Amino acid sequence: MEIILISAAFIAGFIALKCNLPPLVGFLLAGFGLKMAGFSSNDTIITLADLGVTLLLFTIGLKLDLKTLLSKEIWAGASIHNLLSTLLFSAALLCLKVLGVGSLAAMSLEQIVLLGFALSFSSTVFAVKSLQEKGELNATYGTIAIGILVMQDIFAVVFLTVSTGKLPEWYAIILFALPLLRPLFYKLLDWVGHGEMLVLFGIFFALVVGAGLFELVGMKADLGALILGMLLAGHKKASELSKSLFNLKELFLVCFFLNIGLSEQPTLAGFALALIFMLMLPLKGILYFLVLNSFKFRVRTSLLSSLSLFNYSEFGLIVGGLAFKMGWMSGDILVALAIAVSISFILAAPINRQGHALYQRSGRWLKEHAAEKLHARDQLINPGQAQILILGMGRIGTGAYDELLNRYGKVCLGIEVREEAANTHKHHGRNVISGDATDPDFWERILDTGNVKLVLLAMPHHQGNQIALEQLRLRNYQGQIAAIAAYPDQIDTLVENGVDAAFNIYSEAGSGFARHVCEQLRPNFEKP
């Protein structure tokens, strides 16, 4: 049984990849195909799927700044959209009920509102995977989308808790002590090192300390994994821990997408109702854009965030499954929800891949806010007298900045996509601003680059450096460009596209280490 499921998932995922679609689309289709062939999910698949979602929320927490959730555009934006979309979907479904459409005709007003609520959610799993594949998880629009999704997850957990009538146990109050234990958690993370113990630490904290503890006190396990991740987010090894869990999480999520396809037998009535749900999907995307744009974000930020959220959610299935179990929803509605979620993923995948191109076509006729009224995260950029731009202020970019500062003085301006990291650099006296160098509008926001003579492409993703290089060429930049790469073929590509100098980070690290040893220790060797 498991061999057939794994084989089908691999073949379908491979075909989707060759069709320039995310593999998850193939996994969904494989699940539907297997269900139609008479297969069904089992305890192993369900358990691995649950583990995948739990680890996903844990790794989201590792990258999440609590201040992001507390920002007005996140908590208010998510709340306003959830309320408006529920009302809008409920009104549309009520009209269809009056017209006597399918299973909707037999539903009460309360059940219609519940279905509208289920349709209002967007998929955390899909959005995170899509943003990761594009290397834009930390972009401004990516952090906004993830923040809204986390708020939606919290809404869903609250609903599931209230609707089941199961209140947390009285001793759930001990959870408030978790922040006090953060120093101990940090010490443990320091002690486990960097190998297999780091991976085991992540699994232990996500599944036992987080999910297990919250389930023990009568709360949603996934919420516990998310909160434990957030508690560890400030540690210097949080990023390394997230990367160490990446492949394991991805493997488990294959089972999650298979399980969606295997959840219900597709029916003609279900397909018909799912198509109606799909016709309503643009309403959700338009609402996202209007809500985000009302917070004075640029058109691009609002549009790309909306496209990342342009789908139905697995949480909608969870809400629908609970309603079906309690007799609030018919089986046809649940089937339609499952099909609509899957089709929305298939539709959203190519749309997200073409997000930048869609913006360039539509941005001309979408009205932009006046420059002085833009959100603080989208303000115009003045490079001042900087002669060197360093795009990406990670370890390599920071090292380059400090070296150039020692050689030439204060001639550098660092660009860092993560706002909190940019603020840390400022605290240490570096001239760094927050910005997304892969964003075409980022270059439009720069007032003048006339003084810039050298640009260093030091972002961790090769695709990001390529996009920034393309933007420089489009702006007819005449200065010198240097870039980092991880593989020889990437160096060749960068040079072909106009980079003046490209450096392999691994070979350069080795020569830099040897140079540092010779300068510091000054060893006295006899020549052979």
Side-chain angles (χ1 to χ4, degrees):
M1 171 68 175
E2 282 79 8
I3 293 176
I4 295 174
L5 295 178
I6 292 170
S7 300
F10 173 77
I11 293 170
F14 183 78
I15 293 173
L17 192 64
K18 290 302 178 182
C19 294
N20 290 321
L21 290 171
L24 66 88
V25 174
F27 305 149
L28 281 168
L29 293 177
F32 275 118
L34 289 167
K35 184 67 177 178
M36 295 176 70
F39 290 89
S40 59
S41 190
N42 56 36
D43 291 341
T44 301
I45 296 295
I46 294 172
T47 300
L48 293 178
D50 291 342
L51 290 177
V53 174
T54 301
L55 286 178
L56 173 70
L57 290 173
F58 179 69
T59 54
I60 289 174
L62 288 173
K63 298 178 180 179
L64 195 65
D65 185 357
L66 187 59
K67 291 183 293 185
T68 301
L69 287 182
L70 296 177
S71 61
K72 182 171 61 175
E73 61 270 17
I74 298 301
W75 67 264
S79 301
I80 292 170
H81 181 274
N82 192 258
L83 177 62
L84 291 179
S85 58
T86 299
L87 292 174
L88 192 59
F89 283 143
S90 299
L93 293 168
L94 197 57
C95 292
L96 295 173
K97 167 185 165 62
V98 172
L99 294 173
V101 174
S103 301
L104 296 175
M107 296 181 72
S108 67
L109 177 61
E110 293 79 6
Q111 292 169 337
I112 289 286
V113 173
L114 177 60
L115 180 56
F117 178 69
L119 292 171
S120 70
F121 291 96
S122 296
S123 172
T124 302
V125 176
F126 179 90
V128 171
K129 283 184 66 63
S130 176
L131 290 166
Q132 282 178 337
E133 287 173 1
K134 295 187 292 184
E136 296 178 356
L137 197 60
N138 290 319
T140 301
Y141 84 88
T143 58
I144 291 171
I146 295 302
I148 289 175
L149 288 167
V150 171
M151 287 301 300
Q152 289 186 354
D153 290 349
I154 293 173
F155 297 157
V157 168
V158 171
F159 167 79
L160 292 173
T161 302
V162 173
S163 61
T164 54
K166 182 182 177 182
L167 296 175
E169 304 291 345
W170 66 266
Y171 44 82
I173 196 171
I174 64 173
L175 298 178
F176 288 103
L178 285 176
L180 302 177
L181 296 175
R182 183 155 56 177
L184 174 61
F185 298 159
Y186 277 23
K187 282 291 184 184
L188 287 172
L189 188 50
D190 285 329
W191 291 337
V192 295
H194 302 277
E196 64 275 12
M197 283 302 296
L198 181 64
V199 178
L200 193 56
F201 172 89
I203 295 173
F204 174 74
F205 262 70
L207 304 183
V208 180
V209 181
L213 180 61
F214 271 63
E215 200 165 18
L216 185 66
V217 300
M219 297 187 69
K220 197 76 170 62
D222 292 341
L223 180 63
L226 176 68
I227 290 176
L228 259 292
M230 292 170 63
L231 287 176
L232 296 172
H235 194 279
K236 60 185 178 182
K237 287 171 67 176
S239 178
E240 182 185 353
L241 176 58
S242 177
K243 291 175 183 176
S244 71
L245 294 171
F246 180 81
N247 289 330
L248 191 63
K249 174 198 69 179
E250 294 291 287
L251 183 62
F252 288 159
L253 285 176
V254 172
C255 297
F256 171 82
F257 290 110
L258 265 180
N259 194 50
I260 288 181
L262 289 165
S263 59
E264 286 292 332
Q265 178 70 45
T267 62
L268 287 177
F271 270 112
L273 197 53
L275 290 177
I276 292 175
F277 292 162
M278 291 306 300
L279 292 175
M280 295 164 56
L281 183 59
L283 297 176
K284 176 188 283 192
I286 293 170
L287 268 180
Y288 274 125
F289 179 84
L290 293 176
V291 169
L292 291 172
N293 200 241
S294 69
F295 288 101
K296 308 300 182 189
F297 283 106
R298 289 173 297 134
V299 166
R300 177 187 182 276
T301 302
S302 301
L303 181 62
L304 292 184
S305 296
S306 301
L307 291 179
S308 297
L309 301 168
F310 186 70
N311 51 62
Y312 290 124
S313 172
E314 62 279 356
F315 264 119
L317 283 179
I318 295 172
V319 171
L322 177 65
F324 175 72
K325 183 178 178 181
M326 294 191 167
W328 301 340
M329 190 178 290
S330 69
D332 282 346
I333 300 292
L334 184 60
V335 169
L337 267 176
I339 295 172
V341 168
S342 304
I343 295 176
S344 73
F345 286 1
I346 295 170
L347 178 66
I351 290 177
N352 273 271
R353 293 176 76 94
Q354 298 298 318
H356 295 283
L358 289 173
Y359 161 69
Q360 290 172 351
R361 294 172 190 165
S362 60
R364 302 169 188 170
W365 49 269
L366 290 172
K367 186 178 179 181
E368 188 66 89
H369 295 289
E372 65 274 9
K373 294 183 179 180
L374 284 172
H375 193 280
R377 295 166 71 175
D378 274 354
Q379 290 289 332
L380 296 177
I381 298 168
N382 184 2
Q385 300 301 311
Q387 299 179 57
I388 303 174
L389 286 184
I390 302 177
L391 308 182
M393 287 296 291
R395 285 175 293 182
I396 294 175
T398 301
Y401 183 103
D402 293 341
E403 178 66 24
L404 292 167
L405 178 66
N406 291 332
R407 288 176 179 267
Y408 303 110
K410 297 181 178 181
V411 296
C412 296
L413 172 63
I415 311 295
E416 171 56 46
V417 69
R418 296 168 300 162
E419 189 172 2
E420 66 278 8
N423 291 333
T424 300
H425 283 299
K426 291 177 188 176
H427 180 72
H428 287 93
R430 299 186 182 96
N431 182 25
V432 177
I433 60 173
S434 176
D436 181 4
T438 65
D439 178 352
D441 277 355
F442 168 82
W443 300 98
E444 297 296 331
R445 290 165 57 208
I446 295 181
L447 296 176
D448 182 20
T449 57
N451 292 324
V452 178
K453 300 175 181 176
L454 173 64
V455 175
L456 303 185
L457 306 178
M459 290 179 283
H461 296 283
H462 176 66
Q463 183 184 14
N465 289 327
Q466 282 276 74
I467 293 172
L469 176 60
E470 182 181 352
Q471 293 302 318
L472 287 167
R473 290 169 59 192
L474 291 174
R475 290 183 63 85
N476 198 29
Y477 172 71
Q478 299 299 315
Q480 294 178 307
I481 305 174
I484 62 170
Y487 304 101
D489 62 316
Q490 293 178 350
I491 291 178
D492 295 339
T493 302
L494 289 166
V495 172
E496 289 173 5
N497 290 334
V499 164
D500 298 289
F503 302 90
N504 187 301
I505 55 176
Y506 299 118
S507 62
E508 290 298 317
S511 61
F513 176 52
R515 184 169 58 252
H516 183 72
V517 169
C518 293
E519 290 174 356
Q520 291 290 315
L521 302 182
R522 299 186 181 280
N524 184 19
F525 299 117
E526 294 182 4
K527 291 185 178 182

